[in-house]
Amino acid sequence: MIYQHQIEGGVTMQATASSTFNACATNPVDARLSEQRVAIRHLAVILDGNRRWAERCGLQSIDGYRAGGRNVHALLSWCSEADIPMVTLWPLSAENLSRDPEELQALLTVIADVFEELACTGRWHLRVIGDLSSLPPDVKRRIRNAECHTATVDGLDVNIAVGYSGRLELLHAIRTLIADHLLAGTVNTLQTDLSFESITSRLYTAGQPDPDLVIRTSGEQRLSNFMLWQCAFSEFYFTPVCWPDFRRTDFEEALTVYRSRHRRFGQ
């Protein structure tokens, strides 16, 4: 079916669902069983639209980044209440590192602030994924310290993708695979040993389930180099709402649409 998301001003967004959502279902047992069948083990969110939100509000870009950062706390609480055990957030791509230096520094400062704020709650197990080598040393240090601070936290697992590129992640995995064979002296078996598992086990997300649902805010309908390997069978939900304006009703709407879909995994 075609799912339409309408926001103030009459702007309509469409999201395609692969099966019809029965809004009239009244049997609570059937509803619970249905939700179990489509449980979300891993939710990924592309946090897009901070600058556009700021422009519409007549504010500076930094104000949009700060508003987006505050919204991360709310999202993680909603995920915990929805029994979603793993979340990946993408605030900064590798391509974003080429932005205006002053604007980039402001964004990096907000990202480091959010890392520290989340770590201080003691509620989330944080993990950074991506290439931090191009980040300023102080930002890198703050992010790594926050990550280490939550190493023993028994809570929602939260990946935060910083300086992340899906293509670079795949290159990193392949290079690691080759290096492992060189170290073991088994390069002659590399071709026969190459498999889905040998790549998956060397990704940043090794050992984690692939995202079941990917939400992207602000109206863009593309992956933009995000988790290219992991999202092979993910469901997608696009909303025109900019990230700072993303509210619980928008979150619940995305889950409702996801639960209406029949995931076939190519079968």
Side-chain angles (χ1 to χ4, degrees):
M1 78 176 195
I2 301 296
Y3 178 81
Q4 293 189 334
H5 181 133
Q6 189 166 10
I7 61 175
E8 184 178 357
V11 179
T12 300
M13 190 72 180
Q14 294 184 340
T16 303
S18 60
S19 63
T20 303
F21 173 61
N22 182 5
C24 300
T26 57
N27 188 324
V29 175
D30 289 345
R32 285 197 300 271
L33 290 174
S34 176
E35 288 194 11
Q36 290 173 3
R37 284 195 294 269
V38 291
I40 297 177
R41 297 182 303 161
H42 186 173
L43 170 69
V45 185
I46 301 175
L47 312 176
D48 200 11
N50 296 306
R51 289 192 298 179
R52 268 167 281 180
W53 178 88
E55 289 173 5
R56 292 172 187 172
C57 295
L59 302 172
Q60 299 296 316
S61 294
I62 183 62
D63 298 310
Y65 297 141
R66 287 171 178 155
R70 289 191 294 269
N71 212 23
V72 166
H73 295 265
L75 173 68
L76 296 183
S77 293
W78 305 334
C79 289
S80 289
E81 293 170 15
D83 294 323
I84 298 173
M86 179 169 291
V87 178
T88 294
L89 308 175
W90 193 25
L92 183 74
S93 70
E95 292 78 13
N96 292 154
L97 295 173
S98 63
R99 287 184 178 178
D100 173 77
E102 184 176 348
E103 179 184 341
L104 178 60
Q105 181 58 47
L107 174 54
L108 290 172
T109 299
V110 170
I111 290 173
D113 288 344
V114 171
F115 260 97
E116 292 175 343
E117 292 165 4
L118 295 176
C120 286
T121 67
R123 299 178 61 191
W124 325 118
H125 180 201
L126 305 180
R127 180 179 180 184
V128 61
I129 62 174
D131 182 8
L132 302 187
S133 63
S134 298
L135 302 188
D138 63 316
V139 172
K140 188 190 310 183
R141 174 186 52 79
R142 293 178 64 192
I143 289 174
R144 287 299 188 194
N145 286 346
E147 180 184 38
C148 291
H149 185 74
T150 68
T152 60
V153 172
D154 183 18
L156 179 70
D157 289 310
V158 183
N159 297 323
I160 304 183
V162 179
Y164 176 85
S165 159
R167 289 178 173 178
L168 290 179
E169 180 182 21
L170 285 171
L171 281 176
H172 175 268
I174 293 168
R175 287 168 177 162
T176 301
L177 175 61
I178 294 171
D180 289 344
H181 276 270
L182 285 171
L183 185 63
T186 56
V187 175
N188 58 317
T189 67
L190 177 58
Q191 183 174 358
T192 55
D193 289 347
L194 188 62
S195 65
F196 290 127
E197 292 74 19
S198 64
I199 298 295
T200 300
S201 64
R202 291 170 174 82
L203 296 174
Y204 300 141
T205 55
Q208 300 180 359
D210 292 337
D212 298 294
L213 173 64
V214 179
I215 298 174
R216 180 164 187 166
T217 57
S218 87
E220 302 296 347
Q221 299 188 46
R222 56 178 181 267
L223 269 179
S224 298
N225 200 14
F226 178 64
M227 293 186 121
L228 302 178
W229 182 277
Q230 299 93 328
C231 289
F233 293 103
S234 301
E235 296 291 323
F236 297 92
Y237 180 85
F238 303 104
T239 173
V241 178
C242 288
W243 171 242
D245 277 337
F246 191 81
R247 297 294 178 257
R248 179 150 195 167
T249 53
D250 303 304
F251 174 75
E252 295 289 352
E253 194 169 83
L255 299 192
T256 297
V257 171
Y258 171 79
R259 288 166 180 156
S260 76
R261 299 182 181 178
H262 182 196
R263 302 186 69 192
R264 300 182 183 277
F265 298 95
Q267 298 180 3

